[in-house]
């Protein structure tokens, strides 16, 4: 958490000091992001060891693992695309996720209820969390696209080194094309698990319904892009709408929703 | 007329309509997650009706309590699937033709295509290299047209056809499946006949006589709880079971994530609770009712409500009852259970006499008593072994047994749906990650060649591929 805060401030610093020293500061920020991600990883492993199981059974655990998946997806993308000037949004998002997890969602480790005792916990939940991280990254990029589109060629100084609109557009598409099959798999793995735990593979439980809506949303996104040829602004909006259904599913259904996916208080 | 039909068909199978229907399907699924559904939470629907009768009536007319079985939801997905079939079938045929035919001719001016280069080499050598890379090749006198990545479209079509397979699986289950629930006390025997069930639903083409004749006798049920959080840790149900009355019974274990299976029928452990064992005697001491009576849990600590009905007396007796496995009686508050295991069990009864209304014809819940026409005799709280005596007789709290809710499901289409789902993922992977591209090579003069290509959907990697071919030719 602390290191991410540091990475965030270094990013902000890099932007403020955009001249020659900005480049150096982004490098430091990226290094700190890598360090921060490694620290979250250690935290996840520690949590798993303290619980004696995979640490994916409540919202606190989903959130820290999701933040890790998101940061990792960002770092992987960095290898091919120079997104370091987006670092400020990325570290800010990680901070928000970790912050809510630690302050609002924290629960001491507890053993699993019987319905969760299954290999599918590892498969279904890890797939869903990775999807969450990559969806979030694709959405951060789509949102950046929409913000920068307004400026056209006269970008403000902080955004001068962010890749061109075309690259952002293509990148958010690539991320979604990569993660869509995984999301499909997560839903199907959930269905197989539901069949053995609840006696039916699909029952329109609120969580299932919203997972389906997200799936439909991104299926529409891929069709709109590949077949109808939507690009740029329209595609970015569709990406954000579909992404918000995922967020809604995660926040609303877990906290205020009812249904079979609500187990131990969050 | 035919013109109009053709117009409608073309509109329906257009990509824009399909996209619109897809988004509409997503939107249509939303209300079902916000309004309680009869299929998943019937009690909440009843509460909704009780609290807002007017609104509930309007909602009901809009099928908002059965969204996923409603005509409008069905209409959307049926239209979507018709559109999908209308789109995919012609494309499958077309794809089969293209896959069989040779790649199209090379364009006349390669320098206008992507990654154009002039290299040295011979066409024959180029052909060998391309063949080795498993390109589909059309060789003419002075050019080669090569194409690769048909897998993309194959995967795409495969994915959409798999979706149809999933839908077929679901419909097959709803026609030939069944689903029922039975509450069974530990020690009692369950025979798989419709009358043994508390609730049962058959598919449209299934009949009660199709039930396999198995027997299940739960012999032991162990529930473990976490003493600090009261959360369940493990449920283990041991049963004696036989596929039919003639076979020898075998001991089997049922757990939450591992159901018992007979063919395509699965038996799930879904819920558990307590059945207090009571004996009701009349004034003369004659036993009028004896046995375990299932109570319904109201919370995580298994505070349970139930009804003990004694119709074989004049006047009839009824006991509106509560059972607490570990009783907790805070001052000024109603009693409740503080732990789901039976550490300090207590049975609370409110005794009534009069007409239970069982002969009126309207079906009654076995967990409730309508006390409107009854006269209250008195209240009592009992420990195990205690007896409450009143003018008309007595009731003794003998003990308790756990009960389990067995959910029995026949889902013959689920394998088809699963195969469809797995194929869909494979198809999806192929269609998203296979790169379709063409490469053309032309002989110019001497051993000079021209090379260029075209990648569908701007798939990356073609440039490197062309450079690599050029390198090999050199």
């Amino acid at each position: 958490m602390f290191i991410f805060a540091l990475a965030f401030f270094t990013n902000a610093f890099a932007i403020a000091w955009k001249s020659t020293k900005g480049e150096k500061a982004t490098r430091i920020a990226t290094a700190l992001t890598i360090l921060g991600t490694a620290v979250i990883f250690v935290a996840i492993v520690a949590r798993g060891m303290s619980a004696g199981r995979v640490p994916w059974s409540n919202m606190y655990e989903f959130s820290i693992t999701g933040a890790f998946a998101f940061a990792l997806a960002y770092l992987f993308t960095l290898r091919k695309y120079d997104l370091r000037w987006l670092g400020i949004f990325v570290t800010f998002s990680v901070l928000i996720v970790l912050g809510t997890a630690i302050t609002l969602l924290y629960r001491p480790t507890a053993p699993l209820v019987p319905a969760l005792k299954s290999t599918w916990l590892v498969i279904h939940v890890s797939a869903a969390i990775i999807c969450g991280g990559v969806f979030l990254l694709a959405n951060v990029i789509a949102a950046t696209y929409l913000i920068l589109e307004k400026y056209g060629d006269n970008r403000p100084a902080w955004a001068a080194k962010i890749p061109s609109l075309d690259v952002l557009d293509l990148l958010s598409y690539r991320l979604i094309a990569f993660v869509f099959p995984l999301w499909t798999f997560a839903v199907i793995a959930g269905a197989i698990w539901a069949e053995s735990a609840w006696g039916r593979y699909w029952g329109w439980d609120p969580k299932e319904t919203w997972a389906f809506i997200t799936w439909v949303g991104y299926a529409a996104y891929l069709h709109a892009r590949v077949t109808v040829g939507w690009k740029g602004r329209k595609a970015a909006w569709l990406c954000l709408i579909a992404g918000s259904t995922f967020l809604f599913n995660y926040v609303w259904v877990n906290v205020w929703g009812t249904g079979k996916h609500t187990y131990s208080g969050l | 007329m035919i013109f109009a039909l053709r117009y409608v068909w073309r509109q329906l199978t257009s990509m824009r309509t399909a996209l619109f229907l897809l988004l509409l399907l997503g939107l249509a699924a939303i209300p079902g997650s916000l309004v309680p559904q009869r299929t998943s939470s019937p009690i909440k629907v009843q509460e909704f009706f009780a609290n807002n009768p007017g609104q509930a009536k309007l909602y009901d007319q809009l099928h908002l309590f059965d969204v996923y079985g409603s005509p409008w939801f069905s209409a959307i997905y049926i239209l979507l699937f018709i559109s999908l079939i209308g789109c995919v079938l012609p494309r499958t045929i077309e794809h089969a033709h293209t896959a069989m035919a040779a790649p199209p001719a090379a364009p006349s001016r390669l320098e206008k295509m992507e990654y154009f280069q002039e290299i040295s080499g011979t066409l024959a050598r180029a052909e060998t290299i391309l063949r080795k890379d498993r390109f589909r090749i059309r060789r003419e006198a002075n050019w080669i047209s090569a194409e690769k990545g048909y897998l993309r479209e194959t995967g795409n079509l495969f994915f959409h056809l798999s979706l149809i397979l999933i839908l077929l699986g679901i419909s097959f289950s709803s026609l030939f499946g069944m689903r029922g629930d039975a509450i069974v006390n530990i020690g009692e025997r369950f025979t798989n006949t419709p009358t043994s069930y508390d609730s049962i639903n058959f598919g449209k083409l299934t009949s009660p006589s199709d039930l396999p004749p198995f027997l299940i006798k739960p012999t032991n049920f162990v529930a473990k709880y976490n003493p600090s959080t009261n959360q369940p840790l493990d449920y283990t149900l041991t049963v004696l079971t036989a596929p039919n009355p003639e076979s020898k019974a075998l001991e089997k274990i049922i757990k939450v994530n591992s159901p018992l299976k007979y063919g395509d029928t699965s038996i799930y452990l879904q819920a558990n609770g307590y059945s207090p064992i009571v004996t009701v005697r009349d004034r003369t001491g004659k036993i009028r009712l004896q046995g375990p009576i299932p109570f319904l849990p109201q919370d995580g600590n298994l505070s349970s409500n139930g009804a003990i009905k004694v119709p074989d007396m004049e006047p009839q007796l009824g006991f509106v009852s509560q059972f607490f496995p570990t009783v907790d009686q805070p001052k000024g508050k109603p009693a409740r259970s503080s732990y789901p295991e039976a550490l300090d069990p207590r049975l609370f009864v409110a005794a009534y006499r009069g007409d239970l209304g069982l002969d009126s014809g309207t079906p009654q819940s076995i967990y409730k008593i309508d006390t409107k026409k009854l006269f209250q005799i008195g209240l009592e709280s009992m420990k195990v072994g205690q007896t409450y005596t009143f003018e008309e007789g007595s009731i003794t709290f003998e003990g308790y047994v756990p009960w389990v809710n067995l959910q029995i499901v026949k889902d013959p289409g689920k394998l088809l749906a699963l195969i469809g789902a797995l194929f869909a993922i494979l198809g999806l992977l192929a269609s998203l990650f296979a790169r379709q591209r063409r490469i053309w090579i032309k002989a110019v003069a001497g051993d000079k060649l021209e090379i260029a290509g075209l990648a569908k959907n701007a798939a990356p990697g073609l440039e490197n591929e062309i450079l690599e071919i050029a390198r090999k030719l050199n």
Side-chain angles (χ1 to χ4, degrees):
Chain A
M1 177 81 188
F2 172 71
I3 290 169
F4 259 100
L6 216 58
F8 172 69
F9 287 121
T10 326
N11 264 304
F13 179 72
I15 283 155
W17 207 335
K18 57 161 179 76
S19 57
T20 42
K21 283 180 183 143
E23 178 61 29
K24 204 171 188 180
T26 35
R27 257 185 230 153
I28 297 171
T30 307
L32 283 174
T33 312
I34 294 173
L35 186 61
T37 310
V39 169
I40 308 183
F41 180 72
V42 172
I44 294 167
V45 172
R47 174 85 180 183
M49 282 164 69
S50 116
R53 54 171 169 78
V54 287
W56 299 324
S57 79
N58 58 40
M59 254 181 113
Y60 170 72
E61 294 170 353
F62 300 148
S63 292
I64 57 169
T65 318
F68 171 71
F70 170 64
L72 202 64
Y74 163 72
L75 292 175
F76 264 103
T77 318
L78 276 191
R79 289 159 53 115
K80 261 186 113 175
Y81 298 86
D82 188 6
L83 292 179
R84 287 175 305 165
W85 289 83
L86 276 180
I88 186 147
F89 298 117
V90 172
T91 42
F92 183 66
S93 312
V94 171
L95 275 184
I96 289 190
V97 174
L98 287 181
T100 36
I102 291 165
T103 52
L104 300 174
L105 304 171
Y106 181 76
R107 294 289 180 282
T109 52
L112 295 175
V113 299
L116 292 181
K117 283 187 184 158
S118 165
T119 326
W120 291 105
L121 173 69
V122 184
I123 300 167
H124 165 65
V125 181
S126 64
I129 293 176
I130 295 171
C131 290
V134 181
F135 278 145
L136 183 57
L137 185 60
N139 278 284
V140 166
I141 292 168
T144 314
Y145 177 96
L146 289 173
I147 295 169
L148 293 186
E149 196 202 14
K150 284 209 192 104
Y151 293 108
D153 290 334
N154 308 312
R155 286 188 183 181
W158 61 267
K161 288 192 179 165
I162 293 176
S164 72
L165 287 179
D166 286 346
V167 172
L168 292 178
D169 184 46
L170 189 66
L171 182 56
S172 83
Y173 164 69
R174 289 247 165 93
L175 286 168
I176 286 167
F178 162 78
V179 84
F180 185 72
L182 187 63
W183 181 241
T184 312
F185 171 77
V187 172
I188 292 169
I192 298 173
W193 186 10
E195 197 274 326
S196 79
W198 300 332
R200 83 287 185 293
Y201 55 85
W202 196 266
W204 296 106
D205 178 77
K207 182 71 78 182
E208 291 169 353
T209 305
W210 281 93
F212 173 76
I213 294 170
T214 305
W215 189 85
V216 163
Y218 279 115
Y221 172 88
L222 291 176
H223 280 104
R225 266 202 93 102
V226 178
T227 324
V228 188
W230 281 22
K231 267 193 169 177
R233 186 191 307 167
K234 276 159 124 186
W237 274 114
L238 193 52
C239 174
L240 286 184
I241 292 170
S244 57
T245 65
F246 182 93
L247 194 67
F248 182 81
N249 196 359
Y250 184 58
V251 177
W252 183 82
V253 174
N254 280 27
V255 179
W256 294 282
T258 52
K260 286 179 168 288
H261 276 81
T262 43
Y263 286 105
S264 56
L266 302 176
Chain B
M1 179 63 194
I2 289 177
F3 180 77
L5 276 178
R6 196 171 279 177
Y7 175 78
V8 170
W9 177 249
R10 209 174 298 139
Q11 286 301 311
L12 183 62
T13 55
S14 82
M15 196 57 224
R16 269 171 203 284
T17 314
L19 195 57
F20 173 73
L21 286 170
L22 194 60
L23 285 170
L24 197 62
L25 185 67
L27 276 180
I30 294 177
S33 73
L34 307 175
V35 177
Q37 297 295 294
R38 283 209 177 88
T39 44
S40 52
S41 40
I43 297 163
K44 287 218 170 112
V45 176
Q46 279 176 14
E47 281 170 8
F48 199 101
F49 266 90
N51 298 337
N52 320 290
Q55 202 186 351
K57 210 173 160 195
L58 179 70
Y59 276 21
D60 206 21
Q61 278 164 351
L62 296 171
H63 301 276
L64 285 179
F65 299 114
D66 301 285
V67 167
Y68 308 108
S70 71
W72 51 270
F73 191 78
S74 314
I76 296 171
Y77 77 76
I78 290 170
L79 279 176
L80 182 62
F81 268 88
I82 293 174
S83 161
L84 193 153
I85 292 167
C87 203
V88 168
L89 283 188
R91 274 178 76 163
T92 311
I93 296 165
E94 196 190 309
H95 182 58
H97 281 299
T98 355
M100 241 106 72
S108 52
R109 297 179 61 188
L110 281 192
E111 64 269 26
K112 291 215 162 157
M113 307 313 290
E114 289 171 46
Y115 315 119
F116 172 79
Q117 282 189 36
E118 287 191 324
I119 49 174
S120 53
T122 61
L123 271 189
R125 176 93 185 96
E127 190 184 344
T128 336
I129 291 169
L130 287 168
R131 276 205 198 284
K132 215 170 169 190
D133 284 346
R134 302 179 56 186
F135 272 85
R136 207 174 279 274
I137 286 173
R138 176 166 167 195
R139 168 83 194 262
E140 300 284 337
N142 62 341
W143 53 263
I144 293 175
S145 170
E147 188 164 16
K148 196 178 172 183
Y150 289 84
L151 188 62
R152 183 187 181 88
E153 177 71 354
T154 312
N156 180 24
L157 295 169
F158 206 63
F159 167 73
H160 287 92
L161 292 170
S162 304
L163 293 185
I164 299 175
L165 207 60
I166 296 177
L167 193 70
L168 281 179
I170 294 171
S171 349
F172 195 72
S173 293
S174 77
L175 291 178
F176 297 101
M178 62 79 47
R179 176 177 293 270
D181 280 286
I183 285 183
V184 186
N185 290 315
I186 303 305
E188 284 178 2
R189 201 171 73 151
F190 172 86
T191 49
N192 193 25
T193 52
T195 47
S196 307
Y197 285 85
D198 295 305
S199 71
I200 187 165
N201 287 305
F202 290 101
K204 291 190 180 66
L205 297 177
T206 328
S207 83
S209 58
D210 296 337
L211 289 179
F214 56 77
L215 305 168
I216 299 171
K217 184 182 174 187
T219 52
N220 189 25
F221 177 71
V222 180
K224 286 198 191 110
Y225 298 92
N226 181 338
S228 59
T229 63
N230 295 16
Q231 291 273 342
L233 292 175
D234 184 56
Y235 298 123
T236 305
L237 173 67
T238 314
V239 297
L240 278 174
T241 181
N244 54 62
E246 289 81 41
S247 313
K248 195 173 170 295
L250 294 172
E251 194 173 87
K252 290 266 166 74
I253 303 274
I254 305 181
K255 286 177 148 263
V256 175
N257 271 303
S258 60
L260 174 68
K261 296 202 176 190
Y262 278 116
D264 52 10
T265 303
S266 306
I267 298 112
Y268 299 89
L269 172 62
Q270 280 302 20
N272 59 287
Y274 287 102
S275 295
I277 304 169
V278 293
T279 306
V280 179
R281 293 184 171 83
D282 63 15
R283 228 172 304 197
T284 63
K286 192 177 158 201
I287 292 174
R288 294 295 188 156
L289 177 85
Q290 189 166 43
I293 304 196
F295 279 29
L296 277 190
Q298 305 297 312
D299 58 32
N301 288 328
L302 299 181
S303 304
S304 308
N305 291 353
I308 302 165
K309 301 181 187 182
V310 196
D312 293 342
M313 279 177 82
E314 188 54 51
Q316 294 177 329
L317 292 181
F319 303 88
V320 177
S321 318
Q322 285 181 297
F323 175 79
F324 306 104
T326 301
V327 76
D328 176 28
Q329 291 171 287
K331 266 213 171 101
K333 279 187 186 164
R336 59 195 173 94
S337 173
S338 59
Y339 197 64
E341 269 178 58
L343 303 178
D344 183 13
R346 208 64 57 90
L347 181 67
F348 284 39
V349 294
Y352 288 87
R353 66 157 192 262
D355 180 9
L356 291 171
L358 292 172
D359 308 323
S360 65
T362 42
Q364 270 193 9
S365 162
I366 59 164
Y367 306 105
K368 276 188 182 152
I369 293 180
D370 183 4
T371 54
K372 260 182 268 166
K373 290 184 189 162
L374 297 175
F375 174 77
Q376 189 169 4
I377 303 167
L379 300 167
E380 190 59 84
S381 115
M382 287 177 280
K383 290 183 181 174
V384 173
Q386 288 185 333
T387 300
Y388 165 43
T389 310
F390 40 91
E391 200 193 324
E392 288 78 6
S394 68
I395 179 166
T396 307
F397 177 31
E398 312 274 7
Y400 52 88
V401 288
W403 58 255
V404 288
N405 181 4
L406 298 178
Q407 185 179 46
I408 297 169
V409 181
K410 184 182 169 194
D411 198 341
K414 77 183 168 197
L415 189 64
L416 201 60
L418 179 64
I419 292 172
L422 295 180
F423 280 176
I425 291 190
L426 292 179
L428 199 55
L429 287 173
S431 79
L432 287 171
F433 296 120
R435 299 174 294 125
Q436 192 173 355
R437 68 270 189 202
R438 289 179 186 156
I439 291 177
W440 300 287
I441 300 177
K442 243 181 197 173
V444 197
D447 60 352
K448 282 267 176 266
L449 295 175
E450 286 178 353
I451 186 167
L454 181 68
K456 206 169 180 181
N457 297 316
L462 181 61
E463 188 173 13
N464 284 338
E465 206 167 3
I466 287 181
L467 288 175
E468 180 65 19
I469 291 171
R471 196 186 57 79
K472 280 186 191 160
L473 275 170
N474 266 330

